[in-house]
Amino acid sequence: MHKFKTLIIKDLWIYKKSLLIPFWITAGFYILIILSFGVAYFKGDLNFNMLDIQEASPLSAVNYIVNFAIVWFPGLMSLIFTVMLTQGALNEDVRKNCELFHRSQPVSVWYRTGSKYLTGIVGNWVVLLIIALFNFIVINIILALFHQCVFSTAFAGLVQSYISFIKTGLIIGSITFFLSVVFKDKAFLQGFAVLLAVQILFLILNTLLNWKLPLPLSYLVKLLKTTSIEEFEVDASIEEISNFISRNWNAILFNWKTLVQLVFSGVLFAGATLIYKSKEIK
């Protein structure tokens, strides 16, 4: 385990710059917001009134929607950087011609792949969590100043949105991690191109020959889908919002689909490691 810990520290150090980029983007985003509000305030164009929102929707609805939504921007960044890190996880050493050096070290291949897998996926989860919590604190301080903060509903919106993104990141990261052992460069784009070609081919065969071949991208979209706020009603009562939150927990975690997603991700990791282990060193 000491070797595995050392590998994780090494990979975190290597990917440190990439993992820090979302923090800098978030900081820049907040600076732009502050500057925009400052300019609008001094020019007299700031006509924002939180009471309009309070009259438009119940307090609990506002708290849930706002805190569900504040995870989306950093969540999308997290998915992008997960792809960026994992698509080079098992082919970067090959491109840099240092694969033989790393393979000759007295470290298990499973430790090496596990370290890269955790760094690329879980590392981005941690970054997303920090940014989401910071956004949560800022937004709910603002809401509290207008006497609109309902903590339990706000926190439920944050956590449900966060878990949805980390589950999506786990699946996308696992797929890209697997593709990194198949393709030498631009693994995500090449893998997506292959899936798209298969999708189009199967659609043509199903249409012309009346077959019922499974469409890979369609199954992938179903696997990625976790939860949404499509059925959320902004004029719902507190009791209706509580029932919606409970249903969303069932949609996110407490179902067989979650188990399928975990098994799918585990199989991709194991498959990528076995292929990587069996590859001839050049």
Side-chain angles (χ1 to χ4, degrees):
M1 291 301 295
H2 178 70
K3 292 181 180 180
F4 186 59
K5 180 180 177 181
T6 303
L7 284 171
I8 290 179
I9 294 173
K10 182 207 70 167
D11 287 329
L12 284 173
W13 182 259
I14 293 173
Y15 297 139
K16 179 178 67 173
K17 290 184 178 180
S18 296
L19 291 172
L20 288 176
I21 291 176
F23 291 118
W24 295 116
I25 294 176
T26 303
F29 183 72
Y30 271 103
I31 290 173
L32 286 175
I33 290 178
I34 293 172
L35 290 175
S36 299
F37 271 88
V39 171
Y41 176 78
F42 286 109
K43 290 182 64 176
D45 297 330
L46 189 62
N47 298 315
F48 179 72
N49 189 356
M50 283 292 293
L51 292 177
D52 294 338
I53 297 179
Q54 183 174 354
E55 293 174 359
S57 304
L59 301 187
S60 296
V62 172
N63 277 262
Y64 183 86
I65 293 173
V66 169
N67 285 279
F68 191 95
I70 60 175
V71 184
W72 277 76
F73 178 65
L76 291 174
M77 283 197 300
S78 174
L79 295 180
I80 292 172
F81 282 97
T82 296
V83 170
M84 289 175 59
L85 294 183
T86 53
Q87 73 171 351
L90 301 181
N91 56 27
E92 188 172 5
D93 291 340
V94 176
R95 293 199 306 269
K96 294 181 178 180
N97 296 318
C98 57
E99 180 69 10
L100 181 60
F101 170 76
H102 289 293
R103 288 286 192 100
S104 63
Q105 302 301 310
V107 179
S108 170
V109 173
W110 291 91
Y111 277 5
R112 289 191 59 209
T113 58
S115 174
K116 292 178 180 294
Y117 184 80
L118 290 177
T119 303
I121 297 178
V122 180
N124 279 289
W125 291 357
V126 175
V127 171
L128 174 58
L129 178 61
I130 294 172
I131 295 175
L133 288 176
F134 181 79
N135 289 345
F136 177 79
I137 293 171
V138 172
I139 293 298
N140 287 282
I141 286 176
I142 295 173
L143 291 175
L145 291 176
F146 290 89
H147 309 287
Q148 290 190 326
C149 183
V150 182
F151 180 81
S152 59
T153 307
F155 192 68
L158 174 81
V159 175
Q160 289 190 347
S161 186
Y162 174 74
I163 293 177
S164 298
F165 270 103
I166 67 172
K167 287 181 67 179
T168 303
L170 175 64
I171 298 169
I172 292 178
S174 299
I175 293 172
T176 311
F177 185 83
F178 179 83
L179 294 174
S180 72
V181 79
V182 178
F183 301 103
K184 187 176 180 179
D185 194 25
K186 297 180 182 178
F188 179 78
L189 290 177
Q190 292 193 57
F192 181 76
V194 170
L195 284 177
L196 183 60
V198 174
Q199 178 90 357
I200 294 174
L201 175 62
F202 282 10
L203 279 173
I204 294 173
L205 292 176
N206 288 345
T207 303
L208 296 179
L209 303 177
N210 199 25
W211 290 357
K212 295 183 179 179
L213 296 173
L215 303 177
L217 288 180
S218 301
Y219 277 99
L220 183 58
V221 169
K222 290 180 181 179
L223 187 66
L224 288 172
K225 187 175 181 181
T226 52
T227 185
S228 67
I229 55 174
E230 294 175 358
E231 300 178 359
F232 188 84
E233 298 179 0
V234 295
D235 59 346
S237 65
I238 295 178
E239 183 179 355
E240 289 173 334
I241 293 172
S242 298
N243 292 334
F244 173 82
I245 292 173
S246 298
R247 293 196 305 271
N248 244 9
W249 279 123
N250 293 330
I252 295 170
L253 288 177
F254 309 117
N255 55 74
W256 285 105
K257 187 176 182 179
T258 299
L259 180 61
V260 172
Q261 292 167 330
L262 292 174
V263 172
F264 177 78
S265 301
V267 168
L268 288 177
F269 167 72
T273 302
L274 292 173
I275 295 173
Y276 179 72
K277 186 177 181 180
S278 63
K279 270 191 171 182
E280 181 182 353
I281 305 175
K282 298 182 179 180

